[in-house]
Amino acid sequence: MRRSLSVFILGVLLAGGCRQADLPRAKESPEWAEAAESFYNDAMSVKAPDTAQPFSIMAVKHGKVVFERWYDGRQPDSPAEVYSVSKTVLALATGFAVEEGLIKVEDKVMDYFPDRLPENVSDTLAALTIRHLLTMTGGFEESPKLLSVFKSGADHDFDWIKEFFASRQAHMPGTKFYYNFFNTYILAAILENTTGEDVLDYIRPRLLEPLHITDVEWDDSPAGICVGGWGMRLCTEDMAKLGQLLLQRGRWKGRQIVPAGWIDTMTAGQVESSPVNAYSKNMDPAVLADPQNDHSQGYGYYVWQGKYGTYRMEGMRGNLVIVNPRKKIILVFTSDSNMDQGYLDLIWKHFARLM
């Protein structure tokens, strides 16, 4: 749950921020250093209205850090707002609940919220399952009212769940990839209903403690429910450890933390995310039409499929964990960028030969 800024700063001063050096280090790779330097210079040359400010870059190969840099005054123990990287962590949390028999991915979502449903439940709403939430195929359009209240934060009595169910479903669940980040809020609410814990508290002994991720925050809604798909703050190395966990199919230091089958499902292309099925007001249709667009490669459980045999945890403003399972490489970025596909294009321009 989110703490106040003063409490957070005090915690960093007393505890030293994020725990570091959990991943073993190899001798710094000149190739990765050269690629990072050219990428950084290229990113910093981007002119307004686009901007591209990298904060950190870390490369892990065969389980060892081969390159790490921090920029703009950031330090290894500086947590970053990672935006939708939070979604992948939520998918991991869901895997624990499935393993423990608390939920099933084919469960009907409406069954968890009998008191929040509209008076007349449509066939599309009745068909909605947890799997549809995980794959962004619930068919819901974004609710202007929900977005307005979310952005302003003014109405603390507004019921996000009830409004979500009242919003229009443009498609039958499972038929279209339709990116709506409130899917993740509903999933977080289901997890909290079934586990009896805040999502962050639920994953602490199961995920965070085994990986030694010791300084993490995750925002709650005004109703006190974890927001799910955004609002997490992590350090660069903690992001790398999560990527390494995915690469190792849920295994960490000889222990199976997450079921391997769940990781395989999460990181595989479960649905098409091509321009025909995709939706995002922030994406240029001409860019989406390009088959080489990184957002047209497929989508798993809150994990994007990528080029060059990769998949990635992706947060807006250029916060990324890119995994190449074949080459055993993790590439992590924290940043503040107005670019979307353009930022990924910069990454591939400088790092593709190493990936």
Side-chain angles (χ1 to χ4, degrees):
M1 292 181 285
R2 189 171 191 169
R3 294 174 289 170
S4 69
L5 181 60
S6 59
V7 171
F8 172 68
I9 292 174
L10 178 60
V12 169
L13 291 174
L14 293 177
C18 301
R19 179 171 181 158
Q20 293 300 306
D22 282 324
L23 292 172
R25 264 60 180 173
K27 183 178 179 180
E28 182 175 289
S29 165
E31 285 187 313
W32 284 96
E34 180 184 359
E37 181 179 4
S38 60
F39 165 79
Y40 178 80
N41 291 335
D42 207 355
M44 293 301 290
S45 70
V46 174
K47 305 298 182 184
D50 293 325
T51 59
Q53 168 65 68
F55 292 149
S56 68
I57 304 172
M58 178 176 285
V60 182
K61 188 171 184 178
H62 297 293
K64 295 183 178 180
V65 177
V66 295
F67 177 82
E68 54 189 318
R69 285 289 188 282
W70 283 263
Y71 310 95
D72 194 46
R74 304 301 172 103
Q75 300 295 326
D77 61 356
S78 299
E81 167 65 78
V82 299
Y83 299 98
S84 288
V85 167
S86 311
K87 290 180 172 62
T88 312
V89 180
L90 183 66
L92 289 168
T94 305
F96 293 123
V98 170
E99 181 189 24
E100 293 166 13
L102 299 175
I103 62 172
K104 297 177 182 177
V105 294
E106 298 307 328
D107 285 350
K108 297 296 178 65
V109 171
M110 61 177 289
D111 292 343
Y112 288 94
F113 305 99
D115 59 337
R116 316 293 259 285
L117 300 172
E119 184 175 347
N120 296 310
V121 175
S122 65
D123 291 342
T124 52
L125 180 55
L128 182 68
T129 67
I130 288 175
R131 185 179 186 277
H132 297 139
L133 299 179
L134 284 163
T135 56
M136 293 290 182
T137 58
F140 283 92
E141 291 184 341
E142 290 180 334
S143 161
K145 186 175 182 181
L146 191 54
L147 283 173
S148 175
V149 172
F150 164 70
K151 290 176 180 178
S152 68
D155 190 348
H156 287 257
D157 295 324
F158 186 77
D159 191 328
W160 291 12
I161 296 174
K162 191 172 183 178
E163 178 62 25
F164 177 83
F165 288 139
S167 59
R168 180 173 176 262
Q169 279 175 286
H171 307 288
M172 178 62 70
T175 62
K176 297 285 186 180
F177 177 82
Y178 204 90
Y179 196 95
N180 181 331
F181 60 81
F182 282 101
N183 284 315
T184 63
Y185 182 68
I186 301 301
L187 182 53
I190 289 173
L191 291 180
E192 295 195 357
N193 283 348
T194 54
T195 66
E197 296 183 84
D198 182 271
V199 176
L200 183 57
D201 292 333
Y202 178 65
I203 65 171
R204 200 179 304 280
R206 294 165 175 82
L207 177 68
L208 303 182
E209 290 177 1
L211 269 61
H212 292 165
I213 298 177
T214 58
D215 191 66
V216 58
E217 295 180 297
W218 205 343
D219 287 351
D220 285 344
S221 72
I225 297 169
C226 173
V227 294
W230 65 97
M232 181 170 274
R233 280 158 291 282
L234 292 167
C235 289
T236 307
E237 183 160 344
D238 293 336
M239 296 167 69
K241 286 186 283 188
L242 290 167
Q244 190 68 28
L245 180 71
L246 296 182
L247 189 152
Q248 295 171 176
R249 300 180 64 226
R251 196 166 182 82
W252 190 260
K253 294 186 176 180
R255 176 185 166 196
Q256 196 70 40
I257 302 298
V258 188
W262 183 259
I263 299 293
D264 292 343
T265 302
M266 276 181 59
T267 58
Q270 296 296 320
V271 296
E272 292 185 2
S273 59
S274 65
V276 175
N277 294 352
Y279 170 79
S280 175
K281 291 189 294 186
N282 298 322
M283 295 181 187
D284 184 334
V287 173
L288 275 175
D290 181 357
Q292 292 302 307
N293 180 274
D294 280 272
H295 296 94
S296 299
Q297 307 303 312
Y299 196 72
Y301 286 177
Y302 301 149
V303 175
W304 290 93
Q305 299 295 290
K307 295 183 288 189
Y308 309 109
T310 66
Y311 56 79
R312 68 188 180 278
M313 307 163 66
E314 178 179 319
M316 65 181 288
R317 308 201 70 80
N319 293 275
L320 303 159
V321 181
I322 303 171
V323 180
N324 186 324
R326 184 174 64 86
K327 292 189 174 181
K328 304 294 188 290
I329 290 172
I330 314 292
L331 185 56
V332 180
F333 297 84
T334 63
S335 63
D336 185 21
S337 171
N338 280 339
M339 306 169 74
D340 185 5
Q341 180 61 40
Y343 199 75
L344 284 160
D345 287 342
L346 280 182
I347 290 172
W348 295 129
K349 175 182 174 181
H350 298 284
F351 290 99
R353 63 185 175 85
L354 299 175
M355 293 293 289

